[in-house]
């Protein structure tokens, strides 16, 4: 609700938490050690399919 106060009426919006919600202990495959940014790849895939 708070973020919606900053969006013009009638404009659809969404808030997605995609920051480092998970951490990886080591680098493996496409994940690197540290914050994974889990959710970013999902957002990219969604944008590509729009």
């Amino acid at each position: 609700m708070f973020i919606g106060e900053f969006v013009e009426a009638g404009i659809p919006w969404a808030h997605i938490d995609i920051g480092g919600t998970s951490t990886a202990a080591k680098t493996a495959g496409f994940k690197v050690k540290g914050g994974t940014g889990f959710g970013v790849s999902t957002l990219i895939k969604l944008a590509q399919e729009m």
Side-chain angles (χ1 to χ4, degrees), residues 4-47:
E5 294 295 318
F6 301 95
V7 180
E8 288 185 43
I11 297 178
W13 64 275
H15 171 77
I16 304 170
D17 286 317
I18 60 171
T21 59
S22 178
T23 58
K26 62 181 180 177
T27 298
F30 64 90
K31 291 188 278 185
V32 296
K33 182 178 179 179
T36 63
F38 180 81
V40 175
S41 60
T42 302
L43 181 59
I44 291 170
K45 184 69 173 173
L46 174 66

